[in-house]
Amino acid sequence: MEALTSVEKAVDVLFALHGAPASLGVTALGHELGLPKSSAHRLLATLTRRGLVERDERGRYQPGIALVGLGLALEQEADALGETVFLVGARARRLYVLDKAEGTGFLRAAPRVGEAVPVHATAAGKLFLAFAPHQVSLPAGALARFTPRTLASRRALERAVETVRAQGFAENRDEWIPGMSVVAAPIFSRGELRGALVVAAPSARVDELGRESTARRMRAGAGRIRARLEGRAQEDAR
C-alpha cells in the first residue's frame, strides 16, 4: 500500500504541475497538494531524475521533456521509420536517455533508458555542444575513441559542432557503435535547448532513408514536442 500511495502522490505532482499556469516551487506545490515540504521535495527529486519534471532558471519545477515525450508516443515515430527513436536530455552536465521506442527493424539499438551516453561521440552530444555547451562537459583528458570514426580530436569535434550549428541537426555515423548511424534534432523551448530527438539505425538503413529526409522528420517531431512544452503559453495568448 505504501508503494501505491507514493505512486498516487507522484501522479498528483505531475497533474498539479501540468495544470499550473506557471512553474511552482517546492513550498507552493506542497501547500497545493497538502504534502510536507520534505515529501514534496523527495517526490520532485525522483521525478526530476527521470526527466518527468524539470527546474527552470529560478529553480522552480515544471513538466519535463520526458513527460511530454511520453505524451507524443515515440512509438509512432519508431513505427513509421521502422527504427529506434530516443529522447535524450542533459542532467548534471551529462547526457542520459530519457525515453526510447524500438521500431520494427532488426537493430535493437543501445543504450537503455536511464543510461548515460558520451557527449563527444554522439549526435545528441554534438547538439548540446552546439546550442547549449553550458549544459554538458567534456572529459579533461583525452577523448575516448570508441571506433576508428570517433572524433577523438578536439579540433575535429569543434569543426563538427560548427557544422551542426549551421545546419540545425546532428549526425553520427559509426562514431560510437560500429555499424550504427544516428540523426538527431534539437528540441528548443523558450529559447533554451531542452533535449534531442534521435533516431538510430544501421548505417546502410540511414543511407536508404536519406539523411536529409530523416533530419526533416526528426526536426518536425522536435517541433511537435516544442509545441507541447509551450502549449500553456500558447493557450494563455489566445
Side-chain angles (χ1 to χ4, degrees):
M1 285 296 294
E2 183 177 347
L4 179 58
T5 301
S6 296
V7 171
E8 290 175 340
K9 290 179 179 177
V11 172
D12 288 342
V13 168
L14 294 175
F15 273 109
L17 291 176
H18 181 73
S23 54
L24 296 175
V26 178
T27 302
L29 183 63
H31 179 74
E32 180 171 338
L33 297 178
L35 293 173
K37 185 176 179 179
S38 59
S39 297
H41 186 273
R42 185 170 61 253
L43 288 168
L44 287 166
T46 300
L47 294 169
T48 299
R49 284 196 297 272
R50 297 306 302 268
L52 298 174
V53 168
E54 295 179 355
R55 303 183 75 172
D56 63 15
E57 65 279 359
R58 297 173 298 174
R60 296 179 180 178
Y61 293 87
Q62 60 190 5
I65 191 171
L67 181 63
V68 176
L70 287 170
L72 289 173
L74 295 186
E75 290 82 0
Q76 294 180 7
E77 289 292 332
D79 289 344
L81 291 167
E83 305 299 341
T84 305
V85 176
F86 299 89
L87 193 62
V88 178
R91 299 289 179 272
R93 299 182 67 82
R94 301 182 68 189
L95 294 180
Y96 292 91
V97 175
L98 303 178
D99 196 12
K100 173 182 178 179
E102 292 179 339
T104 56
F106 76 89
L107 178 66
R108 294 297 180 261
R112 301 180 300 273
V113 173
E115 187 175 344
V117 301
V119 173
H120 73 284
T122 59
K126 293 174 188 174
L127 285 175
F128 275 87
L129 289 172
F131 299 114
H134 62 284
Q135 294 190 38
V136 294
S137 61
L138 292 170
L143 299 178
R145 185 179 291 279
F146 298 99
T147 77
R149 296 181 64 94
T150 302
L151 298 179
S153 161
R154 292 179 185 270
R155 181 168 296 180
L157 180 60
E158 288 172 1
R159 288 196 295 267
V161 169
E162 289 174 1
T163 298
V164 169
R165 194 177 292 116
Q167 68 186 12
F169 67 93
E171 301 170 87
N172 170 354
R173 188 175 181 88
D174 307 324
E175 295 173 33
W176 181 29
I177 299 174
M180 187 177 81
S181 290
V182 171
V183 177
I187 301 169
F188 291 102
S189 178
R190 299 180 177 89
E192 179 184 356
L193 183 63
R194 298 284 297 275
L197 186 63
V198 179
V199 60
S203 297
R205 173 63 173 159
V206 173
D207 291 339
E208 178 185 336
L209 291 171
R211 58 184 290 275
E212 293 289 348
S213 59
T214 303
R216 283 195 297 271
R217 186 175 189 96
M218 289 296 99
R219 293 179 75 174
R224 289 193 293 274
I225 294 176
R226 175 177 182 168
R228 288 288 297 273
L229 286 168
E230 299 180 349
R232 288 177 298 167
Q234 293 169 358
E235 290 172 1
D236 290 343
R238 284 199 289 267

